[in-house]
Amino acid sequence: GRSALDFIQFLPGVDTASNLRNSTVMGLPQSAINITIDGMSAQDNYLKSSDGFFARVSPRLDAVEEVTFTSAAQGADSGGQGAVQIRFATRSGTNDYRGSGYYYYRADELNERTWFDKRNNLPKTQLVQHQPGGRFGGPIVIPKVFDGHNKAFFFINYEEFYQPQTIS
């Protein structure tokens, strides 16, 4: 996946037994985890005690500029929000136009059968995935009307994921 939250599981102190949603940090309960994007909570606070490593809004890799992971000695800006702070800061425009694009493609003809499928004499699983996306940002400039250098900026991030499949 292209979720920035997926990479948090590789940080020291994060214990992931089965999947990311079941992760704990330094043995603390999941209710001690606080996930924010640009200062706003991104968690489902109704499930925080049993599903603390889940964000309703999943930060995407190309949209994230900075990730801060704090597990001790919180600052005044984090008081009362939890023992573990995971903060994502999104990108913003700059005085230069910058961007990137990608297209991930995954298909059966590019993959081999798994070891278990070969052992159990099962057919290769059917899988086709398409994931296009891109980002672009810079100053807002309207020729002869407004020059936004050092004043006004824009940033857009677009990502799409589709996986056509048939089920019998």
Side-chain angles (χ1 to χ4, degrees):
R2 295 190 43 83
S3 171
L5 192 57
D6 292 344
F7 291 99
I8 298 297
Q9 67 183 320
F10 300 114
L11 292 174
V14 178
D15 181 30
T16 304
S18 58
N19 63 30
L20 182 66
R21 288 177 75 159
N22 294 328
S23 297
T24 59
V25 180
M26 291 178 268
L28 294 169
Q30 287 189 331
S31 60
I33 300 170
N34 185 50
I35 302 171
T36 59
I37 300 174
D38 291 333
M40 298 294 294
S41 177
Q43 289 178 287
D44 184 348
N45 290 324
Y46 294 109
L47 291 174
K48 197 167 180 178
S49 62
S50 63
D51 204 6
F53 233 92
F54 172 71
R56 287 184 150 195
V57 178
S58 180
R60 310 314 290 170
L61 284 178
D62 284 322
V64 172
E65 179 74 27
E66 179 182 342
V67 179
T68 305
F69 181 87
T70 310
S71 58
Q74 309 294 342
D77 60 337
S78 301
Q81 294 181 349
V84 177
Q85 301 291 319
I86 302 170
R87 295 187 191 125
F88 294 95
T90 57
R91 293 179 185 261
S92 61
T94 63
N95 276 330
D96 300 320
Y97 292 104
R98 296 182 183 170
S100 66
Y102 58 87
Y103 188 93
Y104 291 106
Y105 174 71
R106 187 171 169 188
D108 299 333
E109 59 269 7
L110 302 173
N111 297 328
E112 180 58 60
R113 285 178 25 202
T114 66
W115 182 87
F116 295 104
D117 287 349
K118 288 179 184 178
R119 183 191 69 181
N120 298 332
N121 202 23
L122 296 172
K124 185 167 51 169
T125 56
Q126 300 286 320
L127 176 65
V128 176
Q129 292 178 339
H130 302 271
Q131 193 169 6
R135 64 179 171 92
F136 186 68
I140 298 173
V141 176
I142 303 171
K144 298 182 182 181
V145 177
F146 179 75
D147 182 8
H149 285 85
N150 296 320
K151 296 179 223 164
F153 309 98
F154 73 94
F155 176 78
I156 58 171
N157 184 63
Y158 173 79
E159 184 172 317
E160 185 176 334
F161 175 84
Y162 56 101
Q163 183 174 324
Q165 56 184 328
T166 58
I167 299 173
S168 56

